[in-house]
Amino acid sequence: MEIGKKELDNFITCIRANSEYNLSEYSENSLIRRIEKVLLDYTTELNPLLSKMRVDKDFLEEVVKKITVNTTELFRDYKMWQDIRHLLLPKFKDNNELNVWHAGCSTGQEVYSHAILLHELNMLSKSCLYASDINIDVLAKARDGLYPYRHIEDYEDSFIKVVKDNPYGKTFKHTPFKKYFDVNNKKEHFQVNEFIRQEPNFFLNDLVKQENPYKIKFDIIFCRNVLIYFNTDLQKKVLEFFYDNLNDNGYLILGMQESVGWFMNSMFDKVDSFYKKRD
Ligand SMILES: C[S@@+](CC[C@H](N)C(=O)[O-])C[C@H]1O[C@@H](n2cnc3c(N)ncnc32)[C@H](O)[C@@H]1O
């Protein structure tokens, strides 16, 4: 079934009337694509789907979870992580503490990538990592840090590129992947080791509401590959919220296809691959 503007409005209205979620400022095109996929997955049409969502809260939750895109990986865009390691984290070397928020963390690979780098740089013990998502199921997976074995080759490849290779100088000594991951005997999955897994504070958080439950300011906020699903108005509100919740000289890290846009150029300076809060 093709979804037009009217069907999209009906879908958004149904969710708003029957839950806490507000998808009205998500990007229309990506929302339409996701709704069409949901209809195919359930082999149904929009009206029966909406009728079921109105009477069955669990079903509505399930649909919202299917609407969001959870794709992620360890050291995703490894060049960005090389820059985080060599250009960004050294700026915080002399700080007594480092507070970091990973907003839209999905199943946790991003926050564990960061924790591994902090450990390699002897900065993990002074760091507090917070990681949030709108989807409670991905947060449960993130807490487990348990990933399907089929990803291990790609993850190990990126791990070596970031932990051992060095585009800015001498290569580091080899660090075995198993220092941070444990592979189960049947080779079905591998898991982030306990000493790293215990670090992030995972919490449920909807960026649409712009709430910071910890009431602290952050030195770094990661929000990678989330803003692309929002329209310009919501992007602007979320970027202003991040600005307010960053320390002076704090940094925002976005995805490769994202930027702060013309509307926030006066509040952030682009420094290397990152956005530095302007005073
Ligand atoms: C594509 S994943 C990005 C994961 C990770 N940041 C990365 O770049 O690999 C997008 C994540 O944003 C989350 N998300 C979508 N809307 C959100 C919202 N309103 N508040 C918080 N998280 C949201 C989704 O549940 C999903 O896990």
Side-chain angles (χ1 to χ4, degrees):
M1 175 184 183
E2 270 210 16
I3 300 293
K5 179 85 178 99
K6 192 167 139 258
E7 290 81 15
L8 179 64
D9 286 346
N10 290 345
F11 181 81
I12 291 169
T13 307
C14 171
I15 289 181
R16 276 200 90 166
N18 295 286
S19 76
E20 295 261 294
Y21 301 110
N22 176 4
L23 306 184
S24 66
E25 292 184 306
Y26 275 55
S27 147
E28 285 190 1
N29 287 343
S30 67
L31 208 46
I32 285 174
R33 280 197 302 274
R34 296 304 288 180
I35 298 170
E36 286 171 350
K37 181 167 184 314
V38 166
L39 295 179
L40 277 177
D41 287 354
Y42 289 118
T43 50
T44 186
E45 299 285 315
L46 186 64
N47 284 339
L49 185 94
L50 296 184
S51 303
K52 187 157 184 212
M53 283 163 65
R54 281 186 198 102
V55 294
D56 184 343
K57 289 226 177 311
D58 291 341
F59 181 68
L60 184 147
E61 275 287 331
E62 196 177 295
V63 171
V64 173
K65 284 173 192 157
K66 280 178 176 280
I67 289 292
T68 55
V69 178
N70 306 123
T71 316
T72 187
E73 60 191 75
L74 195 81
F75 294 115
R76 182 178 193 178
D77 310 317
Y78 73 89
K79 287 197 168 122
M80 170 74 98
W81 286 97
Q82 289 175 332
D83 285 357
I84 291 170
R85 176 181 189 159
H86 298 287
L87 307 179
L88 181 67
L89 293 179
K91 296 182 201 295
F92 297 97
K93 196 87 191 146
D94 296 328
N95 282 36
N96 292 329
E97 57 173 37
L98 182 68
N99 288 308
V100 184
W101 183 5
H102 290 258
C105 68
S106 187
T107 39
Q109 288 88 329
E110 178 187 280
V111 64
Y112 291 130
S113 304
H114 189 211
I116 289 170
L117 275 193
L118 289 167
H119 188 258
E120 288 292 305
L121 296 171
N122 288 324
M123 292 170 68
L124 187 58
S125 56
K126 68 171 180 182
S127 302
C128 281
L129 302 179
Y130 300 86
S132 63
D133 204 279
I134 194 176
N135 180 336
I136 202 164
D137 292 353
V138 295
L139 286 171
K141 288 187 181 164
R143 283 191 191 94
D144 285 345
L146 192 69
Y147 304 116
Y149 189 78
R150 66 176 184 277
H151 295 311
I152 200 162
E153 241 177 72
D154 288 344
Y155 284 16
E156 194 163 359
D157 192 46
S158 303
F159 174 88
I160 291 169
K161 286 191 175 107
V162 179
V163 174
K164 180 166 177 273
D165 297 352
N166 178 5
Y168 298 102
K170 266 177 62 185
T171 303
F172 296 91
K173 71 174 175 30
H174 175 68
T175 302
F177 192 67
K178 66 173 190 303
K179 179 174 171 188
Y180 295 105
F181 296 92
D182 199 27
V183 181
N184 83 324
N185 287 342
K186 289 185 182 163
K187 294 199 170 169
E188 292 154 335
H189 52 248
F190 58 104
Q191 188 169 33
V192 180
N193 284 343
E194 170 72 23
F195 77 101
I196 293 289
R197 220 167 60 224
Q198 70 186 10
E199 287 296 328
N201 302 290
F202 289 105
F203 65 103
L204 195 62
N205 181 268
D206 181 356
L207 286 168
V208 171
K209 297 180 181 162
Q210 289 120 55
E211 291 167 352
N212 170 2
Y214 289 97
K215 312 280 180 231
I216 54 167
K217 297 229 176 188
F218 297 92
D219 299 297
I220 308 174
I221 297 179
F222 286 75
C223 186
R224 305 197 62 222
N225 308 298
V226 182
L227 296 183
I228 35 168
Y229 300 105
F230 298 166
N231 73 13
T232 313
D233 287 344
L234 182 56
Q235 287 176 2
K236 188 166 180 288
K237 285 183 225 168
V238 173
L239 287 167
E240 275 166 356
F241 168 70
F242 287 155
Y243 181 90
D244 292 340
N245 285 280
L246 275 171
N247 278 325
D248 293 344
N249 297 321
Y251 283 82
L252 173 66
I253 306 184
L254 302 178
M256 301 295 266
Q257 278 120 54
E258 295 163 326
S259 77
V260 299
W262 55 267
F263 42 87
M264 295 298 281
N265 272 341
S266 59
M267 295 169 104
F268 291 96
D269 288 314
K270 183 101 195 259
V271 178
D272 303 314
S273 320
F274 323 110
Y275 293 94
K276 184 179 183 208
K277 176 175 174 169
R278 202 183 279 179
D279 295 337

